[in-house]
Amino acid sequence: MSIRLRFTLVYSAILALTLLAFGSALYSLQAQNTLTALKEDVRRSSDNVGMLLVKRVDSTTQPSGKSPPTKPVNPMPFTDFSSDQTFQNLPEREIVRVLDNSGNLVASPLGRSEDALPLSAEGLSMLHSGQEFWEIAAYQGQRMLILSRPVTTDAGEYYILQVARSLAEREWTLLNLRTTLIFASIVTLMIAFGIGWLLGGITLRPIQRITQTARDIG
């Protein structure tokens, strides 16, 4: 292998490692920022819906405390669950579910059992201890970011509120970013290799002349 080729390969390898580090850092930062922004948006939505749930609580007709009901509650549509127009006119992108304190679906837009969002045993345990729970799970063929949180009043815990948002848009954005970074890195390396090859020839030309002169003298 000639010195010129070695010089070009070393130069290209250093550039490739630099691009890899920069691209990985940029991708990780974008992934974290988009997830954080999405979580903040979901939390704001859950705050609004949570206030509506607190207003709806009626201690004479709803289960109180943390004791689960003896049988699962049949889900009801939001139109029957609450007369509040704000609750009924939730934005289409919001996926909202109301559960009882044992994780059974109480209300959804259409009041169907199959509308239930995933909730793990770990999440239910955290909710019973008064903590919110984030998880990413599949729902109807899509990956969803799901926030589950207990909704409490002075009388005790009545509901578990779930607000979910599809990750499809975020994943599409990250896919485009990843594709762009890979394509740009390949093009940059090809250009850099060509420039390195030319620079290597110019830089090593005096050495080649000296070497040729020495051979001629020899």
Side-chain angles (χ1 to χ4, degrees):
M1 184 183 295
S2 66
I3 297 177
R4 182 181 182 183
L5 181 57
R6 290 180 183 177
F7 173 82
T8 305
L9 290 176
V10 170
Y11 167 77
S12 300
I14 294 174
L15 179 60
L17 291 175
T18 303
L19 290 174
L20 179 62
F22 174 78
S24 298
L26 179 62
Y27 182 85
S28 299
L29 183 62
Q30 181 69 9
Q32 185 60 44
N33 287 343
T34 53
L35 184 61
T36 299
L38 191 58
K39 282 186 173 182
E40 291 176 354
D41 196 15
V42 171
R43 180 174 281 112
R44 281 194 297 269
S45 298
S46 70
D47 288 340
N48 295 334
V49 180
M51 288 188 293
L52 297 176
L53 282 177
V54 171
K55 292 178 182 178
R56 185 196 181 278
V57 168
D58 182 353
S59 59
T60 61
T61 59
Q62 300 297 329
S64 59
K66 296 184 181 293
S67 302
T70 54
K71 357 173 149 172
V73 179
N74 293 325
M76 65 180 74
F78 283 157
T79 52
D80 296 338
F81 180 72
S82 173
S83 60
D84 194 302
Q85 289 300 314
T86 305
F87 196 92
Q88 296 181 21
N89 297 329
L90 290 169
E92 291 183 2
R93 65 176 180 167
E94 302 292 358
I95 301 176
V96 177
R97 302 292 184 266
V98 180
L99 315 178
D100 63 19
N101 47 36
S102 36
N104 301 308
L105 182 63
V106 173
S108 66
L110 299 178
R112 304 175 304 184
S113 299
E114 59 268 28
D115 292 337
L117 289 169
L119 177 61
S120 64
E122 176 191 1
L124 188 58
S125 176
M126 291 184 65
L127 290 165
H128 285 165
S129 64
Q131 303 177 60
E132 66 179 25
F133 181 72
W134 290 95
E135 63 182 318
I136 295 177
Y139 174 72
Q140 295 183 351
Q142 292 191 53
R143 277 164 47 85
M144 310 291 294
L145 175 67
I146 305 172
L147 170 61
S148 301
R149 59 188 299 182
V151 177
T152 60
T153 66
D154 294 337
E157 181 179 318
Y158 291 89
Y159 297 109
I160 293 172
L161 174 64
Q162 288 184 302
V163 179
R165 189 73 61 80
S166 172
L167 291 172
E169 184 177 348
R170 172 179 177 267
E171 291 175 346
W172 177 253
T173 300
L174 292 178
L175 175 62
N176 286 337
L177 175 61
R178 185 165 61 246
T179 303
T180 301
L181 288 174
I182 292 174
F183 178 76
S185 297
I186 292 175
V187 171
T188 302
L189 284 174
M190 291 175 65
I191 295 174
F193 186 88
I195 294 175
W197 181 261
L198 292 175
L199 290 177
I202 295 173
T203 303
L204 297 174
R205 189 172 298 165
I207 298 176
Q208 291 174 346
R209 288 176 180 171
I210 293 173
T211 302
Q212 186 61 41
T213 301
R215 286 176 181 172
D216 292 342
I217 294 174

